[in-house]
Amino acid sequence: MMDGTIGLNKPTIWFADEDFHDADEPYLPELLTESYKSWYDDAEDMKLCMSGIFRLYTKANSYFGNHSELSLPVSVLQLDAQMSRAAELCLEQGQFIQFNYENIQYSAILVKRRRDSVAFATFVYATKVDQAISDIELEAYMKHFRVHFYRIFESVFVKEIMIQKTLIDKEASHRERLFLISKRLYDQINAESVVREVLYSLEDLYQDSEIYLYLSQDHLEGDARVRPLEFRNSANDIVTEAFLEGKCCIDREQNGYIKLAIPMNGKQAAYGVLCIEIKNSHWDESDLPAFMLIADTAGSAFENAKLYEQSNLLINELKIINDMTKRLNQSLRSKEIFQFATSELMKIFEADYCCVLQLDRESNEFKMKASNHEALVGKTYSIDYGFTGIVYRTKEALITSDYWNTQPVSSELMDDTNSRSLIGAPIFVEGEVVGVILVTHRDANHFSYDNYKLLQVMSSHIGLAVTNASLHAEMRKMVITDNLTNLHARHYLNEQIQRRQRSDAQGSLILVDIDFFKNVNDTYGHQVGDRILIQVSAIIRSSIRNGDIAARWGGEELAIYLPNVHASRAIQIAERVRIRVENETDPKVTVSCGISEWESGQDKISVESLFYRADMALYESKKNGRNRINIG
């Protein structure tokens, strides 16, 4: 209020200039019906309404109006025809129309849109001629009607906007919830967490529903919502259909429920099927895209989690393989390798029992070399027996989930240990099976396919370790063995005597010399001489114990060391060798022997002095006629 003047600022109504358009024509009949009723309820006490009949005509010449309480001196058919004619003329000429017909006056005026003045209906009035009206009166009634029309239109318009706003808000809220669900799913780093999250999210979104997840691989124990995916022959099994065809399947059940099955797909495969059972009254078809989006997101998140788990598993497996390989390569003895492999494999696979069998080429049987089931160690089995026979025959790894229910072969290991699940793998050396690894557990289905694959890798490294040990043994044998006689080399004999003197109480040394060996070479040649050496060496090897050591001392001289043997016993062994050489060689030769001994109670006797005394005793044997034994 300024200078005594009151300024009135009318509030601007944001929808005041809104109008319906040609595209809204399908909604016009409903608007006209409602607005005409509203107007007539407001105007029925007015003069014209009490003395005549009003009608609204559309461009299609259909009308709205009520004249049941009034009567004019004209038939219904004639009234309909003339009022329709008035509407047509008004619409054609685009102006007020009025004419009389058989004592009835018919008047028509256009109802125009407020923004562009385009006519959308015709307002027609019929009354007796003596009660005739002017165009101004009819226009006033028409404008009164149009006020009601736009009030109804604005109400519908605002209502429609509010509905759209509600839908937009709902959609925005839905998108936000979907975004949060997606974020939570992708935040999970293991498959079980993804499964729990998707089930929780769906149950939160659809609280009056039953949510299930059918998985083709993993199964969460104790969660009834997660079920194994089983393929059935039923044509109505929408879960199987959704998984196999990779599409959403819907079953509209008769009990007022709807069931949806949507595959949970990743980029590489389908991992399962999400299922929802919900009342028809609680389901909105517009929710289907969101549900499918959640299923796809869950599939991708599940796949990522599985890949993450697999990468961690591979890293862990590589570490296990690397550590085990280092430990295996530290040992060059097959027995140690087998024992270490047995203990390590039990830890890696959390197994109850493990054993390693080695193939004996001479007997063509498998021998149990290492096992934590001691009763089996040392036992032998034919190459066709049990699971070992299967691995040997197929040259492939195997896995048995439940031996009790299948029992494909007899197995002493499985029976004695009450084991139910087993994995086995061959040990290869140069492409040939030289051994078999068997790992067992008392529970059924204990070992996974990943365990099966890992054991194959482990067995190959064990095979390499066995190969290295065998090569080392062969090389060592070559170093410590005389090629011609297959007896030990002189330096090995020296080393063994020194080692034995540190631990044993006594020992004896026999030096054996072939008499007149030069004459044999001169008479028969060196090849026969070599044959004689081989024959005498074979006699020596077969005349002593496993723990005794026979060696080629040099030329035709051979040596035998007898740990913990007194000289009196050494004489008996030497005599046995002497007699057999004389009787079994061809051409016949004889040997002379010299013996020396040591005891821990004496002053320490060196290896050199031991050999010296035996050599002196040998010299006495030769001096006294050969083919005899002498003690130094």
Side-chain angles (χ1 to χ4, degrees), residues 417-479:
T417 61
N418 291 320
S419 294
R420 296 184 67 175
S421 50
L422 172 144
I423 48 176
I427 300 174
F428 288 102
V429 171
E430 296 181 355
E432 295 296 324
V433 177
V434 299
V436 173
I437 302 169
L438 299 177
V439 186
T440 75
H441 198 280
R442 290 193 180 99
D443 294 337
N445 304 301
H446 175 76
F447 300 110
S448 66
Y449 183 64
D450 289 331
N451 295 151
Y452 164 84
K453 293 189 294 183
L454 180 58
L455 182 61
Q456 286 181 289
V457 177
M458 294 288 194
S459 66
S460 65
H461 286 276
I462 293 171
L464 289 173
V466 171
T467 300
N468 291 338
S470 299
L471 290 173
H472 180 266
E474 289 178 9
M475 290 184 65
R476 179 170 174 78
K477 184 179 179 182
M478 290 173 63
V479 170

Side-chain angles (χ1 to χ4, degrees), residues 86 89-91 93-99 105-110 112 123 125 133-139:
L89 289 173
C90 182
L91 190 62
Q93 296 179 20
Q95 61 184 8
F96 174 81
I97 294 293
Q98 191 173 65
F99 63 84
Q105 184 188 65
Y106 297 94
S107 304
I109 190 170
L110 295 175
K112 299 179 180 179
F123 204 63
Y125 180 69
I133 65 168
S134 66
D135 59 340
I136 296 175
E137 287 180 283
L138 186 59
E139 184 179 5

Side-chain angles (χ1 to χ4, degrees), residues 431-601:
E432 295 296 324
V433 177
V434 299
V436 173
I437 302 169
L438 299 177
V439 186
T440 75
H441 198 280
R442 290 193 180 99
D443 294 337
N445 304 301
H446 175 76
F447 300 110
S448 66
Y449 183 64
D450 289 331
N451 295 151
Y452 164 84
K453 293 189 294 183
L454 180 58
L455 182 61
Q456 286 181 289
V457 177
M458 294 288 194
S459 66
S460 65
H461 286 276
I462 293 171
L464 289 173
V466 171
T467 300
N468 291 338
S470 299
L471 290 173
H472 180 266
E474 289 178 9
M475 290 184 65
R476 179 170 174 78
K477 184 179 179 182
M478 290 173 63
V479 170
I480 66 174
T481 304
D482 178 70
N483 290 333
L484 177 62
T485 63
N486 209 25
L487 298 179
H488 290 296
R490 178 173 176 172
H491 70 85
Y492 178 77
L493 180 63
N494 291 345
E495 293 171 2
Q496 291 300 307
I497 293 174
Q498 288 177 347
R499 188 172 67 84
R500 291 287 187 170
Q501 285 184 331
R502 289 193 293 268
S503 59
D504 294 349
Q506 60 184 12
S508 296
L509 176 67
I510 304 173
L511 288 183
V512 180
D513 184 80
I514 301 174
D515 297 329
F516 302 111
F517 187 69
K518 184 177 183 302
N519 293 339
V520 173
N521 282 333
D522 293 342
T523 304
Y524 300 103
H526 287 282
Q527 288 184 340
V528 174
D530 289 347
R531 193 173 74 204
I532 290 296
L533 269 172
I534 294 171
Q535 290 177 15
V536 173
S537 298
I539 290 171
I540 290 174
R541 280 199 308 273
S542 62
S543 300
I544 61 177
R545 304 169 300 176
N546 288 334
D548 298 333
I549 305 167
R552 186 177 182 183
W553 181 248
E556 70 276 15
E557 288 184 328
L558 310 172
I560 306 169
Y561 180 71
L562 307 170
N564 288 315
V565 171
H566 195 270
S568 58
R569 175 60 181 157
I571 292 173
Q572 296 174 1
I573 296 171
E575 181 63 16
R576 184 191 310 155
V577 171
R578 187 192 67 77
I579 293 172
R580 289 187 59 190
V581 169
E582 186 176 11
N583 295 329
E584 297 176 15
T585 52
D586 181 26
K588 182 180 293 187
V589 294
T590 61
V591 293
S592 298
C593 301
I595 298 175
S596 63
E597 66 174 349
W598 69 272
E599 292 182 355
S600 58

Side-chain angles (χ1 to χ4, degrees), residues 217-283:
Q217 297 180 31
D218 298 37
H219 182 263
L220 291 180
E221 298 207 8
D223 194 332
R225 300 169 300 175
V226 183
R227 303 175 177 181
L229 182 62
E230 299 174 349
F231 298 103
R232 304 168 185 167
N233 295 324
S234 172
N236 297 323
D237 182 17
I238 64 170
V239 174
T240 301
E241 182 182 354
F243 183 80
L244 295 178
E245 297 187 12
K247 67 178 184 180
C248 172
C249 295
I250 303 176
D251 180 14
R252 301 185 184 277
E253 301 176 356
Q254 300 299 320
N255 58 356
Y257 279 80
I258 183 172
K259 182 177 180 180
L260 290 88
I262 302 178
M264 199 171 77
N265 294 323
K267 291 182 179 180
Q268 298 180 353
Y271 297 96
V273 176
L274 270 173
C275 235
I276 180 172
E277 294 181 11
I278 189 170
K279 288 182 179 179
N280 282 320
S281 57
H282 294 167
W283 176 252

